[in-house]
Amino acid sequence: MRRSRPRDRHVRTTMALTLATLPLGAVTAHAHPLKPKQSFALRIGIDDGHSTVRPGDRLTYITNVSNTGQEKTPDLLLTQTLVPGLKLVSSTPKGTVSEGRITWKSALPTGKTDQFSVTVQVGRLPGRLQRLAAVACASTKAGKRPIVCATHSDRLQAPATAGFKDQLTALAFNRFFWSSTAGAGALLVAALVLVRRRKPRLTP
């Protein structure tokens, strides 16, 4: 029978003491590592196809939400802001409007993309507003914070003005009007002078 060397006994004793001092469950966790839980991942984008807008324009915002993860999402709340001054014309699918936003509910399987569209009419917007922004977000029903958000911003322009051709026409008309007025005035003055010269003098 082979006798254990003092060095071997020392190694076994050290290992036993090390295991004894580990927290309860640490050995089991080391022997059976937990498999990482797979989760869903979302991507979102919003666009209306414009970079500048003005009052009176009609815009259609398109929002795309994709699940790029490895499992189905829970029920999601998808929202888009509606700035004061925007009149909602339609939405596809039909959403719920409340507190300056429109909301939909959706659950996305892995690899699936859902699309939502909102058509609005640009009316009278708040003063000093230089850009018209729309924000789209996705969150879970239980979550207080959005998972992902996206924004789209358009530069606001002043109300429509006359085109270059119309401006030239107006300028030509103005010149004609004032020249005609001046000419008529000169003719009137000349006529008055002529009448005054031809007026017979009364003899006493």
Side-chain angles (χ1 to χ4, degrees):
M1 182 175 178
R2 183 181 177 183
R3 297 181 179 177
S4 59
R5 298 179 181 179
R7 183 177 179 181
D8 295 337
R9 290 197 300 271
H10 176 72
V11 170
R12 289 197 295 271
T13 302
T14 302
M15 292 180 62
L17 291 174
T18 302
L19 293 175
T21 56
L22 288 175
L24 183 63
V27 177
T28 303
H30 178 75
H32 303 283
L34 296 176
K35 185 178 180 180
K37 183 179 179 180
Q38 296 177 346
S39 62
F40 60 90
L42 296 179
R43 296 181 63 182
I44 190 170
I46 182 172
D47 193 8
D48 66 0
H50 294 264
S51 57
T52 58
V53 298
R54 65 185 63 189
D57 286 350
R58 178 168 290 196
L59 308 175
T60 298
Y61 290 97
I62 303 295
T63 300
N64 290 302
V65 184
S66 303
N67 179 10
T68 59
Q70 298 181 356
E71 67 177 28
K72 182 180 179 180
T73 70
D75 290 338
L76 299 175
L77 293 178
L78 305 171
T79 62
Q80 179 185 328
T81 56
L82 295 174
V83 175
L86 294 183
K87 180 181 178 181
L88 179 64
V89 178
S90 63
S91 63
T92 305
K94 189 175 181 179
T96 303
V97 181
S98 63
E99 298 180 355
R101 65 180 183 177
I102 183 168
T103 305
W104 304 269
K105 296 178 182 179
S106 178
L108 294 175
T110 177
K112 179 71 181 299
T113 297
D114 272 356
Q115 186 176 93
F116 306 86
S117 67
V118 176
T119 300
V120 296
Q121 186 82 25
V122 183
R124 186 175 180 179
L125 299 170
R128 298 184 180 180
L129 190 66
Q130 296 181 352
R131 302 194 69 87
L132 178 62
V135 182
C137 293
S139 61
T140 60
K141 288 184 177 181
K144 295 182 179 180
R145 296 182 179 180
I147 302 172
V148 289
C149 287
T151 62
H152 179 79
S153 177
D154 294 318
R155 184 170 61 88
L156 287 175
Q157 290 183 333
T161 57
F164 181 71
K165 184 177 180 180
D166 296 334
Q167 291 178 0
L168 289 179
T169 303
L171 180 61
F173 175 79
N174 288 335
R175 287 182 176 177
F176 172 77
F177 174 79
W178 288 112
S179 61
S180 300
T181 303
L187 290 176
L188 180 60
V189 171
L192 290 176
V193 172
L194 184 60
V195 170
R196 185 175 182 180
R197 287 182 178 179
R198 290 185 178 182
K199 186 176 180 180
R201 295 183 179 179
L202 297 177
T203 56

